[in-house]
């Protein structure tokens, strides 16, 4: 069984489904995560009406929707169920009341959403993210501990590296929850006297993608791999960067083939 090579379509969030499907397919991807957000072609308010048509257009171009990046409102769950989208991806935001209170609030949100996962047959994936979110894989796993199996980890190579972790550790610990593997890379760049994350190509950052695929082979993961299309330097078109990084990912994966 091989990976479903996918891309987060945020760089083209205003495109209709038919145009987006052709673009994604031409880049070499067979899967897509779709933003369902206020600024996107499909918003939470229009999702029930528009998402089924949008995903049908993607599938007509040979692109399978693996998830949406959205909120946990019932209308988004209902839209995903109608459209056959298996997972809603979110992040665990930290508020001004601090880490512990924020985690408790997010846990309550997830517990409430458990009813919707059962009602609609749609999973929830939580991704770590540096900055004002739960930033580590281990923090997300702690947040999900004890929740039903419909709650998944969306592991992210760049944010794992920013947290100072290693895929051999975090992917093994998260294997039973693993829903999607995000691939991007990052380094630190000193700007105006401050070190900031700077998102780069596969071979330029802190994350070793070869180590990622070795760890995925060890845990026998064969689900979606999603390249997120996040790059800090706009000088090179994102499509050109993604084609290069997809080639790097496929080459690395071939050295550590997926297995059942």
């Amino acid at each position: 069984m091989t990976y479903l090579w996918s891309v987060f379509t945020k760089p083209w969030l205003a495109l209709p489904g038919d145009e987006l499907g052709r673009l994604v397919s031409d880049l070499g991807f067979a899967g897509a995560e779709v933003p369902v957000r206020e600024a996107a072609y499909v918003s939470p308010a229009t999702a029930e009406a528009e998402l089924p048509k949008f995903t049908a257009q993607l599938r007509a171009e040979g692109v399978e929707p693996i998830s949406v990046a959205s909120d946990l409102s019932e209308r988004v769950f209902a839209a995903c169920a109608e459209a056959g989208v298996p997972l809603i991806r979110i992040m665990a935001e930290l508020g001004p009341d601090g880490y512990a209170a924020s985690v408790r609030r997010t846990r309550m949100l997830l517990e409430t959403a458990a009813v919707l996962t059962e009602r609609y047959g749609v999973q929830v994936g939580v991704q770590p993210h540096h900055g004002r979110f739960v930033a580590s894989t281990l923090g997300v796993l702690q947040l999900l501990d004890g929740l039903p199996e419909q709650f998944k980890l969306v592991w992210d190579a760049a944010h794992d590296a920013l947290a100072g972790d290693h895929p051999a550790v975090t992917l093994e610990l998260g294997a039973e929850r693993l829903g999607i593997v995000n691939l991007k890379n990052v380094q630190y760049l000193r700007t105006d006297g401050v070190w900031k994350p700077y998102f780069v190509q596969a071979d330029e950052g802190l994350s070793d993608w070869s180590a990622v695929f070795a760890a995925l082979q060890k845990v026998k993961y064969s689900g979606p791999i999603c390249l997120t299309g996040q790059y800090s330097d706009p000088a090179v078109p994102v499509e050109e960067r993604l084609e290069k990084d997809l080639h790097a990912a496929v080459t690395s994966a071939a050295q550590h083939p997926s297995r059942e």
Side-chain angles (χ1 to χ4, degrees), residues 108-126:
M108 290 176 62
L109 173 68
L110 297 176
E111 290 174 353
T112 301
V115 175
L116 299 177
T117 66
E118 290 287 347
R119 181 178 301 161
Y120 293 103
V122 175
Q123 300 172 338
V124 172
V126 183

Side-chain angles (χ1 to χ4, degrees), residues 11-12 23 27 201 229-245:
W12 318 284
L23 186 155
L27 288 174
Q201 301 266 189
Q230 183 173 0
Y231 304 99
S232 295
D233 181 3
V236 179
V238 66
E239 294 85 357
E240 183 178 329
R241 291 192 184 277
L242 278 168
E243 285 184 308
K244 181 179 177 181
D245 276 357

Side-chain angles (χ1 to χ4, degrees), residues 217-260:
Q217 181 191 56
K218 184 176 179 181
V219 302
K220 301 182 181 180
Y221 176 77
S222 55
I225 304 283
C226 187
L227 276 69
T228 65
Q230 183 173 0
Y231 304 99
S232 295
D233 181 3
V236 179
V238 66
E239 294 85 357
E240 183 178 329
R241 291 192 184 277
L242 278 168
E243 285 184 308
K244 181 179 177 181
D245 276 357
L246 179 59
H247 180 266
V250 171
T251 300
S252 186
Q255 299 169 358
H256 306 282
S258 63
R259 59 189 184 188
E260 295 187 79

Side-chain angles (χ1 to χ4, degrees), residues 72 100-115 143 147 151:
L72 299 184
S102 298
V103 168
R104 284 195 297 270
R105 184 169 53 254
T106 301
R107 175 64 183 227
M108 290 176 62
L109 173 68
L110 297 176
E111 290 174 353
T112 301
V115 175
L143 176 65
L147 289 172
F151 290 86

